[in-house]
Amino acid sequence: MDQHLSVFIAVAEKKNFSRAAEELHMTQPAVSQYIRMFEETIGTRLLERSNKYVRLNKAGEIVYHHAKEILGLYTTMQTLVDDLTNKANGPLSIGASYTFGEYVLPQIIAQLQEMYPDIEPEVTIGNTAVIAEQVSSHQLDIGIVEGHFKEQQLNKEVFSADHMYIVASPEHPLAKKKTPVAAAELEQETWIVRESGSGTREATENMYVDIGISPLKQMNFSSTQPIKGAVEAGLGITLLSQWAIQKEVRNRDLVTLNVDGLPFKRQFAFITKSPFQTKALEVFIDLLRNGTMIATNDKE
């Protein structure tokens, strides 16, 4: 049955029998036969076909959602059994929210590969809400997040702190002030912020409360890199993690503003669903807990 699920998921995601067959290293007739047998087992048609597309119908959407979860559980089960006799190896699906995933995780993955070359990491980057949902549905073995999430059935462990700073272009009037920037001045600025569901957006809104401001204008971006570009271009100011701005501050493309009460502090946490851990997951968690590269500079 797991092969039928794999073929069905590939067709659903590729939206094309030929591309799915290529990915699975199968012939197109073989893929078509698997899909036909799978639909007969389920008892209804799951895909709408035409000369131009293959797409899920309503029943197909339901089956696709649960098929992803079932295959995730199957992979975890097989890996746990293999771990009883083998060293840490095999697939490890890691999810991370944008700040950690883009600026910290690559170094940890490099360290993991150096120590355990037989582990096969697969990384997904998304906002905190998306990562939590995928861990909950067993699509990810572990998620690393920087904000709160709705799912209550996940195991959560804080493993590191993060310091966040308000940054601006070096040419911005506030960047040239000798005295601390007042809250009232910050309130008048255009804020460049992440989308709802992002840990950085949540931290920004918490900081607004902490320093007592309600900005009059905000511009939303879906990732950190364009936010930095917008701030460098003088479109506004933003709150970002120390990890996200290291190079720009060092090169004087961005400057941190002198604001009383900052840096703003938040926490990185990892989340898991299953009470059982593969050896690959265990060693990765040990790296997160003990890694010196993510120790923060604890200045007050």
Side-chain angles (χ1 to χ4, degrees):
M1 178 61 74
D2 57 307
Q3 182 66 21
H4 289 82
L5 291 178
S6 297
V7 172
F8 172 70
I9 288 170
V11 172
E13 292 180 345
K14 295 296 182 182
K15 298 181 175 63
N16 183 283
F17 280 83
S18 297
R19 287 196 291 269
E22 183 178 342
E23 179 178 274
L24 296 168
H25 305 291
M26 298 170 64
T27 65
Q28 184 173 333
V31 169
S32 298
Q33 184 177 2
Y34 268 107
I35 294 298
R36 184 168 58 254
M37 293 171 61
F38 187 54
E39 288 180 326
E40 289 175 359
T41 301
I42 296 297
T44 187
R45 182 179 287 271
L46 304 174
L47 298 166
E48 299 298 330
R49 305 161 174 84
S50 78
N51 293 331
K52 295 183 178 179
Y53 64 79
V54 176
R55 67 184 180 194
L56 296 170
N57 58 23
K58 191 64 178 177
E61 291 175 359
I62 294 170
V63 173
Y64 174 77
H65 174 79
H66 290 285
K68 293 282 284 187
E69 184 169 349
I70 290 167
L71 271 190
L73 286 168
Y74 184 90
T75 301
T76 300
M77 176 193 71
Q78 188 64 58
T79 306
L80 284 166
V81 173
D82 291 344
D83 276 353
L84 293 176
T85 54
N86 298 313
K87 61 181 180 179
N89 61 12
L92 177 63
S93 55
I94 304 164
S97 50
Y98 283 96
T99 298
F100 196 92
E102 292 179 338
Y103 300 101
V104 185
L105 185 59
Q107 301 171 62
I108 298 176
I109 295 294
Q111 192 176 353
L112 179 74
Q113 290 287 270
E114 182 178 351
M115 297 170 65
Y116 302 96
D118 293 330
I119 293 177
E120 303 163 14
E122 181 176 327
V123 176
T124 298
I125 306 296
N127 68 33
T128 291
V130 169
I131 295 302
E133 194 281 328
Q134 292 189 4
V135 172
S136 179
S137 62
H138 300 281
Q139 295 179 49
L140 295 172
D141 297 319
I142 185 170
I144 303 164
V145 297
E146 59 217 32
H148 293 92
F149 47 89
K150 295 180 181 179
E151 174 59 53
Q152 300 299 312
Q153 303 302 315
L154 296 175
N155 307 304
K156 177 181 177 181
E157 180 178 326
V158 172
F159 68 92
S160 181
D162 184 25
H163 292 175
M164 305 184 72
Y165 296 85
I166 299 175
V167 292
S169 161
E171 303 306 315
H172 195 286
L174 295 182
K176 299 177 180 180
K177 288 196 63 175
K178 304 291 186 184
T179 57
V181 178
E185 293 175 293
L186 295 174
E187 195 166 46
Q188 298 300 315
E189 292 297 322
T190 298
W191 282 79
I192 316 297
V193 299
R194 284 286 307 280
E195 80 286 357
S196 296
S198 156
T200 297
R201 173 64 172 269
E202 179 185 314
T204 300
E205 291 175 348
N206 289 340
M207 183 211 61
Y208 290 164
V209 174
D210 283 358
I211 64 177
I213 64 172
S214 297
L216 302 178
K217 185 176 180 182
Q218 291 188 153
M219 295 175 60
N220 292 8
F221 286 80
S222 61
S223 66
T224 301
Q225 201 61 38
I227 287 179
K228 292 191 291 185
V231 173
E232 284 182 34
L235 293 180
I237 62 176
T238 192
L239 179 77
L240 289 175
S241 164
Q242 59 184 341
W243 300 107
I245 58 174
Q246 291 180 96
K247 291 181 181 179
E248 289 79 9
V249 169
R250 185 168 60 245
N251 295 334
R252 291 289 297 174
D253 296 321
L254 294 174
V255 295
T256 58
L257 298 185
N258 180 9
V259 179
D260 289 338
L262 264 65
F264 180 82
K265 297 180 182 178
R266 64 175 177 180
Q267 297 173 321
F268 288 129
F270 64 79
I271 52 177
T272 57
K273 176 73 171 181
S274 173
F276 304 105
Q277 293 179 358
T278 65
K279 287 185 180 179
L281 181 55
E282 285 179 359
V283 298
F284 179 70
I285 288 176
D286 285 342
L287 277 179
L288 293 179
R289 288 173 174 156
N290 303 317
T292 56
M293 70 177 63
I294 55 176
T296 54
N297 192 3
D298 237 354
K299 294 179 180 179
E300 295 300 328

